[in-house]
Each structure stands twice: as C-alpha cells, then as structure tokens.
Amino acid sequence: MQEWFLRIADQFNQSFIYKDRWKLYLDGLGITLEVSLFSALIGLVLGIFVALMRLSQKEDGRSTILSKIAGAYIDVIRGTPAVVQLLIMWFIIMNNSKNGILVASISFGINSGAYIAEIVRAGILAVDKGQTEAGRSLGLSNAQTMIYIIIPQAIKNVLPPICNEFVTLIKETAIIGYVSLDDLTRVANQITSASYNAFMPLIIAAVIYFVIIKILTLLIGKLERRLRKSDNR
C-alpha cells in the first residue's frame, strides 16, 4: 500500500508540479472557459433570434419562410456531431483564419444556438396564451406583446436550462484541440506524452473539469431556488 501511495505521489509530481506544469493546466483552463463564454454569448443571441423565427407564422397558422429556415438550421445542427461542425468551420468555412479561439467560439456558438433556440421556444410557449390576448386587448402589436409581456415571463422558464447549456458547453469544448488550441484536455494529452503516463494527467484534468462544473451547478441550483421563491410570492 505504501509503495502504491509513493507511486501515485511521484506521478502527481511529474504531471502537475514538475517544471511548473500546473501552469499549463491553468492556461488550458483559461482557454476552455474563454471559448465557452464567447460561444455561450453567440449561442444566446443566435438562439433567441432563431426561436422567434421558429415561432413566426401566418394568421392561418401556416409556417413562414423564416420558420422553415429556422427549423432546417436546428435540424442540421442538432443532427450532426459538434466535432464535425468544428472541423468544417476550421478547414473549409474559415480556413484562412489563424485565430483558433475565434473559429471555435463561432462553431460552438452556432451549435449552442440550435439548442438554446429550442429552450427559448419552449419557454415562450409555456407562457399562458391569455397573456398574449391580454396584450392585444390593450392595443399592443404582436411584437410589442412579445417584447413587453411574453419574453419577460419566459425568462424565468428558460434561465435555468440556458445556464445548464453553458455547463454542457464547457464539457463539449474538450474537442477544441482539433483546431490546435491548448485547452485543458489537450494540455493533459501533451503532459501524457512528456511524462509517459496517461493516468495522472487525465485524472487531474477530470478533477478540474468536475470542480468547475460542480461550482456552476451549485450556482444554478441557487438561482433556481430563488426563482421558485419569487413565483410563490
């Protein structure tokens, strides 16, 4: 047992402390969070617009061109792997760009936008239809009713799942090493190659991911409890 602990301690030293390798993990975490944050912002803006496009329809209930475009976008993005979308963006669409963070952020932003669009659409549809009728009876247009009455109420419904989408996004960005970004996962692979030890670098990366995700999950849980309290008032 003592030999096992000594071996683990030596592996930890080689993978984390030796040559200040902990700084590599810190830099990798910074890139992971940077791409995740930019992707989340792009996805949020894009998702709201796509959701509104998806909800647009004619007075007789038929779909519009905008709603069909939004539906096709959501189907294509949700029906293809994120890694394939990233590689298409890197090698084909933005092949002249040398900025991996920009390419990854746009790729994951487009991917996240499809999921956020469905979250926002579901949140808007969850608002009682009587709220729309009330807005129209006050003389508000469809757009004004949506902006001033429906969306503020839908925010409470969509905020927790959107935060959960950001958590998911952090884990999904583990593939950005494909576009030569030294994120947390790629740093672990590099240290694995340098130390000839795959166990400890990957365990360290997994622990860092777990801690970050756990902190965000606790914050989201706290937010949900506050929203529930406000509903009960």
Side-chain angles (χ1 to χ4, degrees), residues 4-230:
W4 184 83
F5 278 112
L6 290 174
R7 185 167 64 252
I8 292 297
D10 180 64
Q11 290 180 3
F12 180 79
N13 177 69
Q14 290 291 325
S15 303
F16 195 75
I17 299 174
Y18 179 68
K19 292 185 178 180
D20 290 334
R21 284 175 173 165
W22 61 271
K23 293 181 179 179
L24 298 177
Y25 289 102
L26 190 61
D27 292 339
L29 177 61
I31 291 177
T32 294
L33 294 178
E34 185 178 1
V35 171
S36 299
L37 180 59
F38 288 147
S39 300
L41 293 175
I42 294 172
L44 180 61
V45 174
L46 182 60
I48 291 173
F49 277 110
V50 172
L52 295 177
M53 289 171 60
R54 188 82 186 274
L55 290 169
S56 65
Q57 59 183 17
K58 298 178 181 179
E59 294 183 358
D60 58 4
R62 290 184 300 169
S63 299
T64 62
I65 294 178
L66 289 178
S67 66
K68 291 179 180 179
I69 293 174
Y73 158 74
I74 292 172
D75 286 342
V76 170
I77 296 300
R78 296 178 66 180
T80 54
V83 64
V84 175
Q85 297 167 17
L86 178 63
L87 293 176
I88 289 174
M89 187 67 68
W90 177 251
F91 289 112
I92 300 175
I93 299 177
M94 299 183 66
N95 62 320
N96 292 325
S97 176
K98 303 298 182 182
N99 190 333
I101 291 179
L102 176 63
V103 174
S105 298
I106 292 176
S107 179
F108 279 102
I110 293 173
N111 179 274
S112 181
Y115 293 91
I116 291 179
E118 289 297 271
I119 293 172
V120 173
R121 185 176 71 90
I124 291 175
L125 292 176
V127 177
D128 190 271
K129 291 182 179 180
Q131 299 294 320
T132 302
E133 296 173 357
R136 296 307 305 273
S137 66
L138 293 173
L140 299 177
S141 65
N142 285 331
Q144 290 174 325
T145 302
M146 181 67 69
I147 293 172
Y148 297 115
I149 297 179
I150 305 301
I151 290 180
Q153 295 183 63
I155 286 176
K156 285 187 177 182
N157 298 328
V158 304
L159 198 54
I162 285 178
C163 291
N164 285 320
E165 171 63 20
F166 177 64
V167 170
T168 302
L169 197 58
I170 292 176
K171 293 182 289 185
E172 288 183 345
T173 56
I175 61 174
I176 60 178
Y178 279 101
V179 295
S180 303
L181 286 177
D182 292 332
D183 69 311
L184 188 56
T185 301
R186 192 179 189 203
V187 165
N189 288 332
Q190 290 172 343
I191 294 177
T192 293
S193 299
S195 63
Y196 300 101
N197 172 33
F199 173 77
M200 189 56 65
L202 294 175
I203 290 298
I204 292 173
V207 169
I208 295 174
Y209 274 117
F210 176 79
V211 170
I212 297 300
I213 298 302
K214 187 63 177 179
I215 292 173
L216 290 175
T217 302
L218 292 174
L219 292 175
I220 293 171
K222 188 175 182 179
L223 173 63
E224 290 177 342
R225 288 191 295 272
R226 287 189 175 184
L227 291 176
R228 284 197 296 267
K229 287 181 180 179
S230 65

